[in-house]
Amino acid sequence: MNTEQLVEQSVAATTQPAYDVAQIMGSLYGDGIIGFKGAFSREWAQQLGEDIAKLYEEALKRPGGAIGRGPKRHYVEIHPEDIRGFVELATHPWVVAVCEAVLGPEYKIVEIGFDVPNPGAVHQPWHRDFPAPEDTIVGRRLNSLAFNLTTVDVYEDMGPFEIAPGTQWDLPIGFEHGMFPPKSNSPRYEQRAQRKMPQMGDISARSALTIHRGTANNSDKPRPALVLGVDAPGANNAERHDLQITHAFYTTLPESLKQHLTCRLVDALEPIVQGHTIEGLMMGEA
């Protein structure tokens, strides 16, 4: 191999993406979920857990601050600057790589919040987080992703997240509210089901259309998990949320992140009254 070929090989190696786009696309278009172990340190995850615990306590005291997603289970939408690690999360190379691979270079962050299945939470019904858009039903394209990060090590008795791989492509025939499949589908989901038990520092990305549920939390510990919602151009999930950022915080953000935010700039943060009900439609409040 001559010198010119060596230089070309070196340039090619340095310009190759850090993560395998084919693997990312294959996982999300195939199973509908992909994970990355140890993306963050355990200390980072512990800090996130401290922030979420404080925000959860505050939300429970505020009318409309926490929405029931079944008995002993809540969802809370928050502001990006409410957690100390937002920039590290939103600019993590794996997060960026997954978003660009599946949603394209003009993806937008539209939601941040957290789920808390508390001790005593029961099995949720199998569901999607929102009705499948035409892009997916007709165009067979994924136009949104949900990233999840646990703040605790998850074990079998803590109500782990359960997903039925490949079901993001199921046509919503007989689905109530476009999200809840008929009970006659359940045996198929249970046959496919995979329970996810991530550890602190792990992150996953999934299509929120892949049929899933939270399982019963039979432990004496809550299982908080952060949710980051991201859209491709043309998706409308921002309409379900109210992402707010103060002018002061916005000026501290890197330009590379600003272009990926769909948000409302405000002088002072306003309390979020969560209105995007999911399991509450079928299971009542927490």
Side-chain angles (χ1 to χ4, degrees):
M1 184 178 292
N2 61 34
T3 303
E4 185 177 345
Q5 289 173 319
L6 284 170
V7 170
E8 287 178 357
Q9 188 180 66
S10 176
V11 170
T14 58
T15 56
Q16 287 298 311
Y19 301 101
D20 188 340
V21 173
Q23 181 190 25
I24 293 169
M25 295 285 282
S27 294
L28 286 163
Y29 271 73
D31 285 350
I33 189 168
I34 187 172
F36 183 44
K37 302 288 291 181
F40 299 92
S41 69
R42 292 183 65 85
E43 291 75 20
W44 188 94
Q46 183 178 17
Q47 174 183 279
L48 177 63
E50 292 167 359
D51 291 343
I52 284 179
K54 177 175 178 289
L55 293 166
Y56 188 35
E57 184 179 359
E58 293 171 354
L60 290 173
K61 297 175 182 175
R62 189 173 67 247
I67 192 165
R69 288 195 166 171
K72 307 295 184 183
R73 192 184 298 266
H74 289 105
Y75 176 77
V76 178
E77 190 165 344
I78 62 175
H79 306 296
E81 57 206 272
D82 284 340
I83 61 169
R84 287 168 282 178
F86 173 71
V87 174
E88 290 85 353
L89 168 61
T91 61
H92 190 284
W94 186 81
V95 172
V96 172
V98 170
C99 289
E100 289 183 344
V102 178
L103 306 177
E106 297 181 3
Y107 68 87
K108 299 288 186 181
I109 294 170
V110 299
E111 171 196 13
I112 186 166
F114 58 85
D115 278 303
V116 184
N118 287 295
V122 301
H123 281 305
Q124 292 176 312
W126 291 106
H127 67 280
R128 290 173 165 159
D129 286 346
F130 44 80
E134 188 174 352
D135 272 2
T136 303
I137 294 175
V138 178
R140 292 306 189 186
R141 183 171 74 89
L142 299 178
N143 66 5
S144 68
L145 292 173
F147 290 84
N148 294 109
L149 299 94
T150 182
T151 68
V152 295
D153 293 337
V154 180
Y155 296 98
E156 185 71 32
D157 64 344
M158 294 172 68
F161 177 83
E162 192 169 48
I163 191 166
T167 54
Q168 68 273 38
W169 306 113
D170 286 11
L171 296 177
I173 298 169
F175 282 34
E176 291 192 51
H177 310 290
M179 296 182 285
F180 297 90
K183 287 188 173 19
S184 57
N185 289 16
S186 294
R188 175 170 169 262
Y189 303 145
E190 287 162 10
Q191 184 179 34
R192 289 171 169 253
Q194 295 179 1
R195 289 196 175 187
K196 302 298 183 180
M197 284 171 277
Q199 304 294 289
M200 293 168 63
D202 297 348
I203 185 171
S204 66
R206 62 184 172 90
S207 166
L209 302 177
T210 310
I211 305 297
H212 62 277
R213 65 181 179 180
T215 60
N217 187 347
N218 297 313
S219 75
D220 58 359
K221 305 178 185 69
R223 183 183 63 77
L226 190 77
V227 181
L228 185 76
V230 190
D231 274 3
N236 62 359
N237 292 303
E239 297 172 3
R240 299 184 174 97
H241 307 289
D242 183 20
L243 198 70
Q244 302 171 35
I245 295 178
T246 61
H247 291 281
F249 185 64
Y250 191 76
T251 61
T252 69
L253 300 177
E255 292 298 324
S256 61
L257 176 55
K258 289 178 182 177
Q259 64 182 314
H260 293 299
L261 295 171
T262 294
C263 62
R264 185 161 60 94
L265 293 178
V266 295
D267 291 326
L269 295 172
E270 303 166 11
I272 298 173
V273 177
Q274 173 60 251
H276 179 213
T277 59
I278 301 179
E279 290 82 356
L281 291 170
M282 305 291 283
M283 298 180 67
E285 294 301 310

